[in-house]
Amino acid sequence: MGVRLFTGLVEECGSVVAIEERSGSKRLVVSASIVLKDAKLGDSIAVNGACLTIVGMRDGTASFDLLTETWRVTSFSQLTLGNKVNLERALLLNSRMGGHFMTGHVDGTGTVSQYDHRGHEAHLEIKCTPALSRYCVHKGCIAVDGVSLTIAEVEGNLIRFFLIPHTLSETNLHARKKGDLVNLETDLLAKYVEKLIPH
């Protein structure tokens, strides 16, 4: 299966309806409507920024199998029943390109270190590892729980953002609080550039 591309423009927030233990894996069941309109088994959906494959659909829900590596690298271990998750279908070639190119391959997690609502906007600060912050630059892009965000400031391992009302109303970021883990996918192009430039 080739790489699926996403844009970080969340289509809807679904709700976690079940997390089932399986032999060597877990099954995540999420309620949704928009992303399931034309979905079929085997399709890819970004769930909080992680590219997952639909393995079952029933009564307005989609099921996804989470292997040990996905469970380890992402923030899914903190999910509980009723939690809202950001959902986005894979990019079509005839779609408008908003956000930025994302693969849905989460690089790791960050921790919300500060979150202040100020009038109509919010100031979000996330602490991550040096391995992730090295790819973050002022006015660059990063995916936070699958949401394409523009970086306002980078200070060491701290990444800061300004969230506009639309982002707050259309994604699950409005419910984040200090100490929460979030999935992070850094800029794909930055990683290719690093690989190609001789050290």
Side-chain angles (χ1 to χ4, degrees):
M1 181 179 266
V3 173
R4 301 294 186 264
L5 290 177
F6 303 90
T7 66
L9 300 183
V10 172
E11 295 184 86
E12 69 173 315
C13 283
S15 296
V16 175
V17 298
I19 302 174
E20 304 168 356
E21 293 286 344
R22 300 256 166 162
S23 178
S25 68
K26 299 183 189 299
R27 178 159 290 186
L28 175 66
V29 184
V30 175
S31 67
S33 57
I34 295 173
V35 299
L36 297 183
K37 284 181 179 177
D38 57 356
K40 59 186 183 301
L41 294 181
D43 281 355
S44 298
I45 302 287
V47 180
N48 274 0
C51 179
L52 302 180
T53 301
I54 298 176
V55 296
M57 291 189 298
R58 181 180 179 182
D59 300 329
T61 66
S63 301
F64 309 90
D65 285 338
L66 306 178
L67 300 182
T68 303
E69 178 68 4
T70 303
W71 196 255
R72 183 186 68 82
V73 173
T74 68
S75 64
F76 286 151
S77 61
Q78 290 196 338
L79 288 178
T80 58
L81 299 186
N83 279 171
K84 297 294 185 182
V85 289
N86 296 322
L87 302 174
E88 180 192 356
R89 289 170 289 189
L91 180 67
L92 295 175
L93 291 179
N94 63 351
S95 300
R96 287 189 175 91
M97 181 59 205
H100 72 283
F101 281 126
M102 295 162 36
T103 62
H105 299 162
V106 174
D107 293 307
T109 58
T111 304
V112 176
S113 55
Q114 186 176 341
Y115 195 16
D116 301 319
H117 288 267
R118 305 177 186 179
H120 293 295
E121 67 180 24
H123 293 190
L124 172 64
E125 180 181 88
I126 294 172
K127 184 176 183 180
C128 64
T129 65
L132 296 181
S133 64
R134 67 184 297 167
Y135 299 114
C136 299
V137 296
H138 174 58
K139 294 188 178 179
C141 293
I142 188 171
V144 178
D145 272 351
V147 183
S148 175
L149 295 181
T150 300
I151 297 169
E153 186 179 4
V154 181
E155 183 181 342
N157 297 328
L158 296 176
I159 316 164
R160 299 187 179 99
F161 310 90
F162 298 130
L163 305 183
I164 62 173
H166 180 79
T167 301
L168 294 173
S169 66
E170 298 299 319
T171 73
N172 68 1
L173 293 183
H174 71 276
R176 287 289 173 233
K177 59 186 183 300
K178 187 174 181 179
D180 281 354
L181 280 184
V182 291
N183 292 328
L184 299 176
E185 181 185 339
T186 57
D187 187 19
L188 178 65
L189 296 180
K191 288 179 274 192
Y192 274 119
V193 169
E194 180 184 60
K195 178 75 173 179
L196 292 171
I197 294 179
H199 297 287

